[in-house]
Amino acid sequence: MKAVHVDVRVNPIQYEVYMGTDLLDRMAQDLQEKPLAKRYAVLSDDRVSGLYGKKMMESLEKRGLKAQLFTFPQGEASKNRKEKEHLEDAMLAAGFGRDSAVIALGGGVVGDLAGFVAATYMRGIPVLQVPTTTLAMADSAIGSKTAVDVPYGKNLIGAFHSPVEVYMDMGFLPSLDERNYFAGLVELIKHSFIRMPALQDFLSEHRDTVCLRQGEDYFAVMETLFYQNSAVKNEIVSRDQQESNLRKVLNYGHTLGHSVEMASHFERIHGECVAIGIAFAAYLSWQLGYCEEEWAQKQVQLLQEYHQDTRIPEGLTTEQLIQGMKTDKKVRDGKTEWILLAGPGKLVQRPDGAYGIPVEEDILRECLEGFRKWQK
Ligand SMILES: NC(=O)c1ccc[n+]([C@@H]2O[C@H](COP(=O)([O-])OP(=O)(O)OC[C@H]3O[C@@H](n4cnc5c(N)ncnc54)[C@H](O)[C@@H]3O)[C@@H](O)[C@H]2O)c1
Ligand SMILES: [Zn+2]
């Protein structure tokens, strides 16, 4: 037998995440000065493209850049293989080659789908992420994960494909509907709890500005929020690209959150379910003796100030929620694993340094019942 040792040293991934206002012009200017491709495929959903597609195309064309807009129906239902195929075929028919790049203009659905198209188109072309929702700015546009949903579950087929650059324009936020606006901020609130107490203080201090989306300092406040948030997510992701340990802490609130999401048949949107999950993880940390009740209450209070209902929805049984958690990824030896906090930014670790704390099903059952009473 013969063997050739292949040792491909992948370049370290580096990109900038810009946050500010009027960034579409800034992006076009950057691309004019440092072209990324000969042609740009702007991928967006029909709602976002209706609002901002024209502006995006004008900014690019003003700088002499060749671009074409491709759209698909808004909503999670579009994040599938069929829609990926449609977009790819449309790009192929329009003659987009290896020397093109994708610009993903939209929320997390667009970012995930367009990012995945870019990941495999002609074996991979560059992608620029231009997130337009709080969720995409707080979470999905940074971290390099792209995916589509399949009948077997969400995000099961995808790729790691880092953006070349991310442009977060605060000017997109005023048009976002209330529900998506606040639900997206839950991920940011989560980041403040697990890693950055100063961000938590900032969120309390500027609550009115953020919630009312008004005031002359609104954009500046949001810029600071996403700046601090990106620093947290980036620090965690860059230290653990492949999710071997540290990156798991981003799942804070997601164990119960996912279960509520499934049990409610996705009637509650992701962030809303994560808010319930965080409140429960906080309660569990207290019940297991890792923190004081005050810290758990503080987390719940901030979530409620940001318009979240942290109670388990009526009609969802404890058994249903336990079953849902068992089908989740975070199960080992029949015990669900939990990211828990002993205080602001203080993650609970096992003696071997791992972050997932296993919890017995009976204790969980008892705590779910206790949590319902605690939340009344
Ligand atoms: N890749 C990751 O790391 C990662 C992380 C978290 C979530 N996600 C994915 O993100 C998706 C959810 O993202 P989302 O919450 O942004 O949903 P979304 O992209 O569906 O956007 C929500 C709605 O808001 C509309 N919209 C977007 N921007 C707008 C704006 N500025 N003004 C008015 N309307 C606007 C959209 O058309 C859509 O109807 C899920 O598919 C989830 O799996 C991915
Ligand atoms: Zn999430």
Side-chain angles (χ1 to χ4, degrees), residues 306-320:
Y306 276 86
H307 298 206
Q308 295 306 306
D309 181 351
T310 53
R311 294 166 304 178
I312 293 175
E314 299 263 333
L316 300 191
T317 67
T318 297
E319 278 325 302
Q320 224 179 336

Side-chain angles (χ1 to χ4, degrees), residues 146-159:
T146 73
V148 292
D149 304 331
V150 292
Y152 295 92
K154 264 177 65 96
N155 299 323
L156 294 184
I157 304 291

Side-chain angles (χ1 to χ4, degrees), residues 19-317:
M19 42 287 288
T21 44
D22 298 318
L23 290 189
L24 291 186
D25 284 334
R26 167 66 199 264
M27 181 184 80
Q29 189 186 338
D30 288 351
L31 290 175
Q32 185 187 31
E33 285 164 10
K34 257 175 85 180
L36 195 61
K38 291 243 167 66
R39 286 173 83 189
Y40 298 89
V42 178
L43 272 44
S44 190
D45 71 31
D46 51 7
R47 185 180 294 176
V48 178
S49 66
L51 290 166
Y52 304 109
K54 192 160 171 260
K55 198 166 168 221
M56 164 70 88
M57 298 311 283
E58 280 172 0
S59 302
L60 295 170
E61 280 154 16
K62 211 169 72 192
R63 298 275 171 184
L65 301 161
K66 279 195 193 143
Q68 193 170 328
L69 182 62
F70 298 88
T71 64
F72 55 86
Q74 65 78 34
E76 185 75 27
S78 285
K79 215 180 91 174
N80 59 34
R81 293 175 183 145
K82 262 260 131 346
E83 206 54 62
K84 179 172 182 268
E85 199 178 305
H86 280 157
L87 291 167
E88 288 161 348
D89 287 351
M91 283 172 64
L92 290 166
F96 277 79
R98 284 196 56 78
D99 53 359
S100 39
V102 166
I103 298 176
L105 172 69
V109 164
V110 175
D112 275 7
L113 179 58
F116 190 30
V117 166
T120 62
Y121 194 80
M122 307 261 166
R123 296 200 185 89
I125 57 173
V127 61
L128 288 161
Q129 290 285 353
V130 184
T132 62
T133 62
T134 43
L135 180 129
M137 293 187 197
D139 199 6
S140 58
I142 30 176
S144 311
K145 284 185 182 175
T146 73
V148 292
D149 304 331
V150 292
Y152 295 92
K154 264 177 65 96
N155 299 323
L156 294 184
I157 304 291
F160 282 94
H161 191 54
S162 300
V164 178
E165 231 83 77
V166 182
Y167 292 87
M168 292 183 187
D169 193 324
M170 303 304 131
F172 291 129
L173 296 177
S175 61
L176 189 59
D177 64 282
E178 290 262 309
R179 240 184 122 181
N180 275 300
Y181 180 77
F182 287 108
L185 290 175
V186 171
E187 300 284 355
L188 188 145
I189 294 170
K190 175 197 77 181
H191 292 146
S192 83
F193 291 158
I194 60 176
R195 212 68 176 166
M196 202 187 259
L199 175 56
Q200 197 187 314
D201 296 340
F202 190 88
L203 280 161
S204 297
E205 231 169 88
H206 297 277
R207 188 191 65 191
D208 290 347
T209 308
V210 181
C211 290
L212 296 173
R213 289 193 258 184
Q214 280 171 9
E216 54 189 45
D217 60 343
Y218 173 66
F219 288 136
V221 165
M222 296 311 283
E223 197 178 309
T224 305
L225 264 191
F226 286 109
Y227 172 70
Q228 296 190 344
N229 175 74
S230 297
V232 175
K233 183 147 190 214
N234 177 45
E235 185 246 345
I236 293 171
V237 168
S238 58
R239 282 172 56 185
D240 183 12
Q241 283 283 344
Q242 300 300 325
E243 201 163 334
S244 45
N245 187 23
L246 182 64
R247 194 168 178 160
K248 287 188 188 147
V249 306
L250 295 174
N251 288 327
Y252 185 54
H254 282 61
T255 315
L256 180 65
H258 279 149
S259 188
V260 171
E261 207 174 353
M262 280 190 295
S264 75
H265 301 288
F266 297 89
E267 227 165 72
R268 300 260 179 147
I269 54 180
H270 184 70
E272 294 169 341
C273 299
V274 173
I276 297 166
I278 291 175
F280 178 67
Y283 175 82
L284 188 61
S285 303
W286 167 47
Q287 289 296 303
L288 296 178
Y290 291 113
C291 71
E292 303 290 327
E293 184 182 12
E294 195 191 345
W295 165 232
Q297 276 169 339
K298 214 172 156 196
Q299 293 175 74
V300 171
Q301 193 190 332
L302 190 68
L303 288 165
Q304 289 176 348
E305 285 174 2
Y306 276 86
H307 298 206
Q308 295 306 306
D309 181 351
T310 53
R311 294 166 304 178
I312 293 175
E314 299 263 333
L316 300 191
T317 67

